Amino acid sequence: MSSQNSTGKKTYHKRASGAAFQTAEAHSAPHDLKLYGSCFCPFVQRVWISLEFKKLSYQYYEVDPYAKPKDLLEVNPRGFVPALRHGDWSCHESSVLMEYLEEIADRGPHLLPEDPKQRAFSRLWTDHINRHILPAFYRYLQCTDIEKQPQLAKDLSDQINKLTEAADKEGPFFLGNEISFVDVQLAPWMLRMRRVLTVYRGWPEPDKSSRWGRWVYAIEDAPCVKATTSENELYVDSYERYAENRPNTSQVQKAINEGGGLP
């Protein structure tokens, strides 16, 4: 069901839908490992995908970061998601939490490769995603000047091409035939390119025969991604605020509008 505010504008959803709702319900019981998340947030989805990939036992706890409830502030004084509580310890920031999950999951699959050089390579291109691709995504989405949008679309495409050129030639994932750290870092925005940028900015569907297209569709089909993805309406509604560049949409929006990177 579409979510609207008092002015009739679409706004962010406060509950997951589809497969993500089912996953949240399956992990609603109290647990020592607790993810504080918001269903619309791509940074949360990074950590959530990691938890599902590793098949760890955990609790998913939906919070409204704009309301900044007390229990969230106890875990992250800034009131941002994702945040993680593990016993009496807590931490935040999506990339940091993904690394933490790598450290505590002694058994089972890992997202970072064993080879130190490949680990460094993965961290290098993770940095590219966070420094270049994500700011370009938000600059394009938040731009309401039609004349400027084509150049911003090109800027985003150029940054994606740099990453794709560094990826394994066969793929379909970044390092080859198995999903890994870099894939999960970018996966939430891959989904939102198709569900948000296509709707609001006319972003083209990827060519399935291209290296980028094979990567996108492999991400879409990955079980750990599917399990944390809501129905399309949630993303269309939740990101109208960004597409209209409404005031006070988020700290990310504010940082991008001020010419900076991610906060």
Side-chain angles (χ1 to χ4, degrees):
M1 182 177 180
S2 182
S3 181
Q4 296 182 339
N5 62 21
S6 59
T7 66
K9 294 278 191 179
K10 294 175 182 177
T11 189
Y12 64 95
H13 288 219
K14 299 178 182 178
R15 189 174 75 166
S17 60
F21 174 76
Q22 296 174 5
T23 303
E25 286 290 291
H27 291 274
S28 60
H31 194 277
D32 189 53
L33 183 62
K34 183 176 182 178
L35 173 63
Y36 292 74
S38 301
C39 58
F40 60 85
C41 177
F43 298 96
V44 168
Q45 193 175 12
R46 278 177 167 173
V47 183
W48 203 4
I49 292 170
S50 300
L51 286 163
E52 284 294 301
F53 172 80
K54 293 175 174 299
K55 303 187 186 303
L56 293 171
S57 297
Y58 67 94
Q59 178 186 359
Y60 178 85
Y61 184 64
E62 183 78 22
V63 295
D64 181 353
Y66 294 96
K68 299 193 183 302
K70 181 181 177 182
D71 52 357
L72 174 60
L73 292 172
E74 289 173 351
V75 179
N76 181 1
R78 299 177 71 192
F80 296 164
V81 289
L84 193 73
R85 182 181 288 283
H86 195 184
D88 59 1
W89 177 87
S90 61
C91 194
H92 48 93
E93 300 295 342
S94 61
S95 295
V96 174
L97 297 182
M98 284 179 63
E99 293 258 10
Y100 177 70
L101 295 177
E102 287 290 290
E103 298 294 333
I104 66 170
D106 295 331
R107 290 177 291 180
H110 285 270
L111 289 167
L112 282 170
E114 292 185 9
D115 179 68
K117 295 183 180 65
Q118 287 287 80
R119 281 178 175 249
F121 185 68
S122 296
R123 290 184 173 111
L124 176 69
W125 287 101
T126 287
D127 185 71
H128 176 79
I129 291 169
N130 291 319
R131 285 180 184 268
H132 299 291
I133 293 180
L134 302 194
F137 173 94
Y138 288 105
R139 280 193 292 269
Y140 181 31
L141 177 59
Q142 291 170 210
C143 179
T144 57
D145 186 334
I146 295 175
E147 292 184 357
K148 293 180 180 179
Q149 288 173 3
Q151 181 59 52
L152 294 173
K154 182 180 182 302
D155 293 345
L156 175 57
S157 181
D158 287 347
Q159 297 302 334
I160 289 171
N161 287 340
K162 289 178 184 178
L163 179 66
T164 306
E165 288 169 5
D168 180 85
K169 300 307 177 188
E170 298 299 323
F173 297 107
F174 183 71
L175 292 179
N177 60 9
E178 294 183 2
I179 196 168
S180 66
F181 199 87
V182 172
D183 301 295
V184 177
Q185 283 278 320
L186 188 58
W189 287 270
M190 285 178 159
L191 300 177
R192 285 155 179 79
M193 286 174 199
R194 299 187 69 208
R195 290 157 177 78
V196 176
L197 285 185
T198 298
V199 172
Y200 290 115
R201 296 291 178 260
W203 183 256
E205 283 286 329
D207 178 355
K208 291 184 179 182
S209 66
S210 69
R211 178 65 183 87
W212 171 246
R214 295 199 308 275
W215 192 0
V216 170
Y217 289 106
I219 288 292
E220 291 268 6
D221 288 340
C224 56
V225 175
K226 283 185 173 180
T228 62
T229 301
S230 288
E231 294 172 353
N232 290 2
E233 183 181 51
L234 180 145
Y235 304 105
V236 173
D237 288 356
S238 298
Y239 282 85
E240 184 184 80
R241 303 170 301 144
Y242 286 90
E244 294 180 353
N245 206 11
R246 293 182 209 159
N248 304 314
T249 288
S250 73
Q251 291 297 315
V252 169
Q253 179 223 25
K254 181 182 179 197
I256 295 299
N257 284 343
E258 292 174 350
L262 299 180

